[in-house]
Amino acid sequence: MWVADQFYEILGTRFRVVFEDPTPAEYLGTMLAPFLLSERGARTVNTFCLAGGLEQDERGLGRDLYWDMRWLAWDETWQPLVNRVLQEINRRAVGGYQEFAAHAGVVGMADKVLALVAESGGGKSTLTAACLQAGFGYGSDESLCLRYHDAAVEIYPRPLGLSRWSREVLSIGHGTGFEGEAPVSAADLGAENLPGGRQLTDVVLLNVVEDSAPVLETLPRSRAIAELLAHSFNHFKNPAGAFDLVNRVARNVDVWKLTFSDPAAAAAELRASVETR
Amino acid sequence: MGYSGKIGPAAAHILEAEIDGDISLYDPHTEQVTVLNGTASDVWRVCDGEHSLGEIVDLLARAYGVEPRSIHDDVAAAISSFRDARLFSEESKP
């Protein structure tokens, strides 16, 4: 019996998530709350079903995850399957996004909107989480989304994917029960989502160096063009439009290289920079 | 095309933008971005298919107020990097 049946719209793609067990349903519902649709639809594509509950757990049957009626995964517990749902949703949402997107965390404070640019595994999510703890608003830990027509930032406040190391180094108690990466919401970190539609003001290139105090160095604005294109995952859909867009954005941003080892100290450095400008 | 001929112009499909004097070049075919610093941007601007390497060196030497031989190797290296990145039109003038 399905106890939860929710519809979401993420970066223009619609999803439906159905659960038998209220515990993971509630957890995922909290994580995807920014994207919840008030109206229901008869979606038959992008539907994730998590079958199984406590009764199956006690009988050692575990849980099954289905996507559009196709079996996707099995596990003894619900946490890995919730993670899988979030990964699949992220992949499909970003893959279907028709505007410009680049690998970057997005945080903001006052009139500043910062893109934290790095490769996957380059410390984006951890620094983003540290920034939220330091008082920044949340845009995304995954993707800088920019509209082609007005270069405005579309926020993508998906749950932050934080490794055990990240949670420990930032003393984040949420995510217990998850073996590896755990989804953590901005609200869990005491932060609110940024309003959408604002212009990017800063591009911060992350440079993690062991035992380094945080140092923020200014770079030429032209670097923003190369970095945003190099870290984009969909500029090939519209190469000329993407170049024009990042050129427009680069004219109005400050570009920095942030060298650091301690994410909390780096977030404090960013906050101090924002507050003194 | 050797350096004795005219250098450039840019290939037609190369997209160009300038911010604070630095030129960024984008090849949509290869998705390659080339960001030039101020000096390399100056070299790029005169690679218009109308000048040889020697003429480009003379032009820039006059602009900078230096001896041509002091910048010759750097200019040649910059032009070589433009060629390596396939930024020039293949239909260069003799």
Short mmCIF file of all heavy atoms in Angstrom, two decimals, chain A residues 104-107 113-117 144 200-206 228:
data_model
loop_
_atom_site.label_atom_id
_atom_site.label_comp_id
_atom_site.label_asym_id
_atom_site.label_seq_id
_atom_site.Cartn_x
_atom_site.Cartn_y
_atom_site.Cartn_z
N ALA A 104 29.11 23.86 -9.89
CA ALA A 104 29.45 24.90 -8.92
C ALA A 104 28.43 24.89 -7.79
O ALA A 104 27.26 24.59 -8.01
CB ALA A 104 29.44 26.28 -9.59
N GLY A 105 28.91 25.19 -6.59
CA GLY A 105 27.99 25.50 -5.52
C GLY A 105 27.55 26.95 -5.67
O GLY A 105 28.26 27.75 -6.30
N VAL A 106 26.39 27.27 -5.14
CA VAL A 106 25.90 28.65 -5.21
C VAL A 106 25.41 29.07 -3.83
O VAL A 106 24.56 28.38 -3.24
CB VAL A 106 24.74 28.78 -6.23
CG1 VAL A 106 24.22 30.22 -6.26
CG2 VAL A 106 25.18 28.35 -7.62
N VAL A 107 25.98 30.15 -3.31
CA VAL A 107 25.55 30.70 -2.03
C VAL A 107 25.44 32.20 -2.18
O VAL A 107 25.98 32.79 -3.14
CB VAL A 107 26.55 30.35 -0.89
CG1 VAL A 107 26.62 28.84 -0.67
CG2 VAL A 107 27.94 30.91 -1.18
N VAL A 113 25.91 37.10 -4.88
CA VAL A 113 25.64 35.70 -5.22
C VAL A 113 26.94 35.10 -5.73
O VAL A 113 27.50 35.57 -6.73
CB VAL A 113 24.54 35.57 -6.28
CG1 VAL A 113 24.29 34.10 -6.60
CG2 VAL A 113 23.25 36.23 -5.81
N LEU A 114 27.43 34.09 -5.02
CA LEU A 114 28.75 33.52 -5.31
C LEU A 114 28.60 32.13 -5.93
O LEU A 114 27.82 31.31 -5.44
CB LEU A 114 29.58 33.37 -4.03
CG LEU A 114 30.11 34.61 -3.33
CD1 LEU A 114 29.01 35.46 -2.73
CD2 LEU A 114 31.08 34.19 -2.22
N ALA A 115 29.37 31.88 -6.98
CA ALA A 115 29.50 30.53 -7.53
C ALA A 115 30.82 29.95 -7.04
O ALA A 115 31.87 30.56 -7.21
CB ALA A 115 29.47 30.57 -9.05
N LEU A 116 30.75 28.78 -6.41
CA LEU A 116 31.94 28.08 -5.89
C LEU A 116 32.28 26.99 -6.90
O LEU A 116 31.64 25.95 -6.93
CB LEU A 116 31.66 27.50 -4.51
CG LEU A 116 31.01 28.46 -3.50
CD1 LEU A 116 30.68 27.72 -2.20
CD2 LEU A 116 31.92 29.66 -3.22
N VAL A 117 33.27 27.25 -7.73
CA VAL A 117 33.52 26.40 -8.90
C VAL A 117 34.60 25.37 -8.61
O VAL A 117 35.70 25.72 -8.15
CB VAL A 117 33.94 27.27 -10.10
CG1 VAL A 117 34.20 26.40 -11.33
CG2 VAL A 117 32.86 28.31 -10.41
N LEU A 144 25.48 25.58 -10.92
CA LEU A 144 25.16 26.98 -11.20
C LEU A 144 24.29 26.99 -12.45
O LEU A 144 24.74 26.58 -13.53
CB LEU A 144 26.43 27.79 -11.44
CG LEU A 144 26.24 29.19 -12.04
CD1 LEU A 144 25.53 30.11 -11.05
CD2 LEU A 144 27.58 29.78 -12.47
N LEU A 200 24.65 36.88 -10.86
CA LEU A 200 25.88 36.39 -10.23
C LEU A 200 26.83 37.55 -10.00
O LEU A 200 27.00 38.41 -10.87
CB LEU A 200 26.52 35.34 -11.13
CG LEU A 200 27.65 34.52 -10.53
CD1 LEU A 200 27.11 33.59 -9.44
CD2 LEU A 200 28.34 33.69 -11.62
N THR A 201 27.47 37.59 -8.83
CA THR A 201 28.40 38.69 -8.54
C THR A 201 29.85 38.22 -8.36
O THR A 201 30.78 39.01 -8.54
CB THR A 201 28.00 39.44 -7.26
OG1 THR A 201 28.01 38.52 -6.16
CG2 THR A 201 26.62 40.06 -7.40
N ASP A 202 30.03 36.94 -8.01
CA ASP A 202 31.38 36.45 -7.72
C ASP A 202 31.56 35.03 -8.25
O ASP A 202 30.68 34.19 -8.06
CB ASP A 202 31.65 36.44 -6.21
CG ASP A 202 31.64 37.83 -5.60
OD1 ASP A 202 30.53 38.34 -5.33
OD2 ASP A 202 32.73 38.39 -5.41
N VAL A 203 32.70 34.79 -8.85
CA VAL A 203 33.10 33.43 -9.24
C VAL A 203 34.32 33.08 -8.40
O VAL A 203 35.34 33.77 -8.46
CB VAL A 203 33.42 33.35 -10.74
CG1 VAL A 203 34.00 31.98 -11.09
CG2 VAL A 203 32.18 33.63 -11.57
N VAL A 204 34.19 32.02 -7.60
CA VAL A 204 35.27 31.62 -6.68
C VAL A 204 35.79 30.26 -7.12
O VAL A 204 35.04 29.28 -7.13
CB VAL A 204 34.76 31.56 -5.22
CG1 VAL A 204 35.91 31.20 -4.29
CG2 VAL A 204 34.11 32.87 -4.82
N LEU A 205 37.06 30.20 -7.49
CA LEU A 205 37.68 28.95 -7.92
C LEU A 205 38.31 28.29 -6.70
O LEU A 205 39.16 28.90 -6.03
CB LEU A 205 38.73 29.22 -8.99
CG LEU A 205 38.27 30.12 -10.15
CD1 LEU A 205 39.41 30.30 -11.15
CD2 LEU A 205 37.05 29.54 -10.83
N LEU A 206 37.90 27.08 -6.41
CA LEU A 206 38.36 26.41 -5.18
C LEU A 206 39.70 25.73 -5.42
O LEU A 206 39.91 25.05 -6.42
CB LEU A 206 37.33 25.38 -4.72
CG LEU A 206 35.89 25.87 -4.56
CD1 LEU A 206 35.06 24.85 -3.81
CD2 LEU A 206 35.83 27.23 -3.89
N LEU A 228 33.85 28.94 -16.36
CA LEU A 228 32.43 28.56 -16.44
C LEU A 228 32.18 27.62 -17.62
O LEU A 228 31.40 26.67 -17.52
CB LEU A 228 31.54 29.80 -16.54
CG LEU A 228 31.50 30.67 -15.28
CD1 LEU A 228 30.61 31.90 -15.48
CD2 LEU A 228 31.00 29.87 -14.07
#
